[in-house]
Amino acid sequence: MRKVLIAALMTCGLAIASPAMAAPRATVAEGTLPITIDGTGYQLAARVYRPAGSGPFPLVVINHGTPPDKSKFPGVELGFVRAAAWFVDHGYMVVTALRPGFGTSSGSYLEAAGRCQDENYVAAGEKTAAVERAIVTAAAALPGADAARIVVVGQSAGGFGAVALADAPPPGVLGVISFAGGRGGDGKEHICGGEDRLIAAEGHFGAGNRVPQLWLYAANDHFFRRDLARGMYAAYSGASTPPVTFVGLPSFGDDGHKTFAKADPSVWERPVSAFLKRLMPAGR
């Protein structure tokens, strides 16, 4: 796989902090991405990966998960470097950003929806989706992005938010890819408030879905084990009009929940490539 090189900076609404280097094949810019939610502005830690050339490039927005321990929120960092490099190598511009309450992004955490024993997964999904919509809208306005060809990708709670976002997707969103999507897991195969509550929320969101989706879960995911993932998928896809595809990935390390963040993209590239080709046939 070709490497993405930090080579040039884009002004593109980002407060850039990285120095320039020569001879780019692609560019990576790191700084802050301004977004607005319900009239309030936030500055999000962000990274923008851009292929070589003038574009416009189809856009992939990657959304991170949520650690079970809230004390870990300030330590969350921008990730998915290998995954972003894969998308860039396939001609996509990629934006990753930390939502409010995480890492160095401004603002407090916006996605709480009850205590563990009575978590409201519909409300939680809608709150995460609201933040992700704002990120997608800001990313679509960056130079080089093709605002008519957007794919929203999420991992864990970020995937759950992307699935909820699909009920009212921003203009230009053609599809959603959810890696290990879900909410309320503790990494020990326990779900806050019970699995039935989470599965019911998936059915709620499925009824409103407006775009094709791809869901991927590893065999040894300890947040959302395979049979739970299948239950969530059945509830969602059974209520959805657009097609939703489920792919079971092999085990990865000690916890398959880390597959998208840590594994070589060869683990998931075949189903993802096929899905992207369906969304954006050659010449589109």
Side-chain angles (χ1 to χ4, degrees):
M1 180 178 66
R2 299 189 306 274
K3 293 182 179 179
V4 176
L5 305 177
I6 297 178
L9 301 177
M10 297 172 288
T11 54
C12 65
L14 290 174
I16 301 302
S18 301
M21 295 176 66
R25 179 172 293 276
T27 61
V28 181
E30 188 166 326
T32 56
L33 180 72
I35 67 167
T36 301
I37 303 172
D38 294 333
T40 299
Y42 300 88
Q43 298 290 327
L44 305 187
R47 191 175 288 145
V48 178
Y49 302 77
R50 187 179 179 205
S54 58
F57 306 103
L59 175 66
V60 167
V61 179
I62 300 178
N63 300 280
H64 63 84
T66 301
D69 183 353
K70 291 184 178 180
S71 70
K72 304 292 186 183
F73 288 10
V76 173
E77 299 179 345
L78 292 165
F80 308 110
V81 173
R82 297 174 84 181
W86 184 91
F87 283 108
V88 170
D89 282 348
H90 288 77
Y92 294 84
M93 180 172 162
V94 178
V95 174
T96 62
L98 301 181
R99 300 190 297 277
F102 296 93
T104 59
S105 290
S106 71
S108 58
Y109 179 60
L110 301 176
E111 304 165 43
R115 298 170 298 174
C116 181
Q117 61 267 33
D118 59 3
E119 178 139 2
N120 184 331
Y121 289 109
V122 171
E126 289 174 344
K127 289 180 178 183
T128 303
V131 181
E132 294 186 9
R133 285 190 193 97
I135 293 171
V136 170
T137 299
L142 298 177
D146 185 342
R149 293 188 295 166
I150 303 170
V151 179
V152 180
V153 180
Q155 190 264 340
S156 194
F160 188 67
V163 165
L165 169 150
D167 284 15
V173 171
L174 302 180
V176 164
I177 302 175
S178 174
F179 282 89
R183 185 90 183 194
D186 62 357
K188 300 176 182 178
E189 302 187 1
H190 170 261
I191 301 297
C192 284
E195 296 177 2
D196 289 348
R197 189 185 295 248
L198 179 58
I199 291 171
E202 294 285 17
H204 169 87
F205 288 125
N209 179 37
R210 293 171 55 186
V211 297
Q213 298 188 29
L214 174 65
W215 291 22
L216 305 98
Y217 291 84
N220 64 330
D221 189 318
H222 296 308
F223 281 77
F224 311 108
R225 65 183 192 282
R226 182 66 62 82
D227 62 333
L228 171 57
R230 284 283 188 185
M232 292 190 289
Y233 169 74
Y236 189 93
S237 62
S240 173
T241 299
V244 183
T245 301
F246 185 100
V247 172
L249 298 175
S251 296
F252 173 72
D254 61 355
D255 187 356
H257 197 68
K258 305 172 186 175
T259 297
F260 185 57
K262 303 293 184 182
D264 188 274
S266 61
V267 172
W268 47 260
E269 67 177 346
R270 181 175 293 182
V272 170
S273 292
F275 179 71
L276 294 173
K277 287 178 182 177
R278 290 196 298 272
L279 289 183
M280 298 178 231
R284 177 169 179 172

